[in-house]
Amino acid sequence: MHNTPHLVVSISGHGFGHVSQTAPVLNALHQRMPQLRFTVRSAVPVGHLRSRIHAPFTHLSGDDDFGLMMSSAMDVRVDESRAAYRALHSDWDARVAGEARLLRELGADMALSNVAYLPLAGAQRANIPDAAMCSINWADIYRHYCGNDDIAGQMQDCYANANAFLRVTPGMPMTDLPNLIPVAPIAAVGTNRRTEIISRLKLSPDVKLALVSMGGIASRSLVEQWPRLDGVRWLVQQGWQSRHPDAIAHDALQMSFNDLLASSDALICKPGYGSFVEAACSGVPVLYVNRPDWPESPALIAWLNRHGVCRAVSRDALERGDIADELEELWNATRPEPVIPEGIEQAADWLERRIGL
């Protein structure tokens, strides 16, 4: 170990939840170990990475972690996913050797993955310390959709042979991993700037702000079809170019997503780690469209029911905008104290000790 240790971090591009789990831990590590160098490998747009990761880092675009092939943020293309994994594993040993070579060339002192398994296999081949950190792993997801075959076994071995799997709460059980280390929730918590938003947009102080963050299933047509709800404004992305009279493009506010969320009266989303946990840590109620086929959903929903305020709505009802009753229930419910994201320091503690060896 030299004076400027180098952590190579792989972050899945399959949804921004992987970034929302990883970025706060990297930020904490940077505060503790300013000499620590980061290389971030990810297919996530670098602008989004830099909006979340405040530590300096070198960016390598892309990796082999496609997660699942999707036709939208809600719909898995199972046959295409299975074929993609067969192609990835058809020359598995060469893939692992190439990954080990890359990590050596980068001068990695440790590999952290959320939650690609090939970087873990490469680190293990190169005898470099490694850890996974996530609320899911692709072995469990693959088995759910594609069955328990040799590919699932190779995935499982990568995770099980890592120095640790930091299982973030809420998460899938993963009871078959011998190296599992549970950590508390991880989230970046924004600042409530509601008063500023109301003033800048010249809105009534009594208005309700509902932040709509639906990923790939959302489109301009989704909000366009919604009826008007008295006293409610929808905060949506500029890219939707919504003509709904009550839709407000939040990009013009030039606020971080976390500040927008902390300033909102409700979050409308699909089940996802970042959305659910950041909302609970900001004390914001959640209206979510259920995603019954996604195996992580039960753990996320059960946790949010215990620690936040949430209601489910069907996909058809959301597309119609038939959500007034559910929103009213959310706004009349008693809110618990916001969750404290203690997992940031727990994960940073473990990683700092390991990197410092």
Side-chain angles (χ1 to χ4, degrees), residues 6-262:
H6 186 193
L7 179 64
V8 177
V9 186
S10 297
I11 304 177
S12 174
H14 190 269
F16 287 166
H18 300 274
V19 180
S20 71
Q21 292 175 3
T22 311
V25 176
L26 301 187
N27 294 337
L29 280 173
H30 178 61
Q31 292 295 319
R32 294 163 174 234
M33 306 174 70
Q35 78 279 18
L36 179 62
R37 290 192 300 132
F38 296 104
T39 292
V40 176
R41 305 171 61 197
S42 183
V44 173
V46 67
H48 182 78
L49 292 171
R50 294 200 187 279
S51 75
R52 291 279 187 150
I53 302 171
H54 305 140
F57 65 88
T58 300
H59 178 240
L60 294 181
S61 61
D63 57 18
D64 291 313
D65 187 32
F66 52 83
L68 291 168
M69 301 298 179
M70 310 289 293
S71 56
S72 76
M74 299 271 287
D75 302 301
V76 177
R77 300 204 300 262
V78 175
D79 290 342
E80 291 180 40
S81 299
R82 184 183 290 111
Y85 276 112
R86 284 176 179 165
L88 177 64
H89 285 256
S90 63
D91 54 353
W92 180 242
D93 192 68
R95 296 263 189 181
V96 175
E99 187 72 15
R101 185 167 55 253
L102 174 63
L103 289 170
R104 289 194 202 99
E105 290 171 354
L106 290 172
D109 292 298
M110 184 172 183
L112 173 66
S113 181
N114 188 328
V115 67
Y117 53 91
L118 181 57
L120 302 174
Q124 291 155 24
R125 177 76 61 90
N127 199 28
I128 294 169
D130 66 326
M133 182 179 72
C134 197
S135 55
I136 64 168
N137 67 68
W138 293 126
D140 287 342
I141 301 296
Y142 177 90
R143 281 191 288 254
H144 176 81
Y145 288 105
C146 303
N148 192 11
D149 56 15
D150 290 345
I151 291 175
Q154 286 180 321
M155 294 177 173
Q156 182 75 16
D157 287 345
C158 298
Y159 292 123
N161 291 327
N163 294 134
F165 194 114
L166 305 176
R167 202 291 312 274
V168 184
T169 302
M172 295 175 68
M174 307 189 210
T175 52
D176 53 353
L177 289 178
N179 54 349
L180 195 74
I181 299 176
V183 299
I186 293 174
V189 183
T191 300
N192 188 336
R193 301 168 66 182
R194 175 187 168 84
T195 301
E196 180 183 346
I197 294 173
I198 295 296
S199 174
R200 287 174 60 180
L201 298 176
K202 297 180 170 57
L203 298 173
S204 164
D206 299 326
V207 74
K208 297 290 189 184
L209 301 175
L211 178 59
V212 186
S213 180
M214 294 300 302
I217 72 160
S219 66
R220 173 179 169 178
S221 61
L222 176 69
V223 178
E224 298 296 87
Q225 299 175 41
W226 289 3
R228 301 190 72 177
L229 296 184
D230 187 42
V232 179
R233 298 293 181 270
W234 315 111
L235 299 178
V236 302
Q237 298 171 26
Q238 178 74 47
W240 297 0
Q241 297 182 328
S242 178
R243 292 194 304 260
H244 192 290
D246 297 326
I248 297 168
H250 59 64
D251 308 59
L253 294 169
Q254 296 185 321
M255 292 185 185
S256 70
F257 180 85
N258 298 109
D259 284 1
L260 286 168
L261 176 57

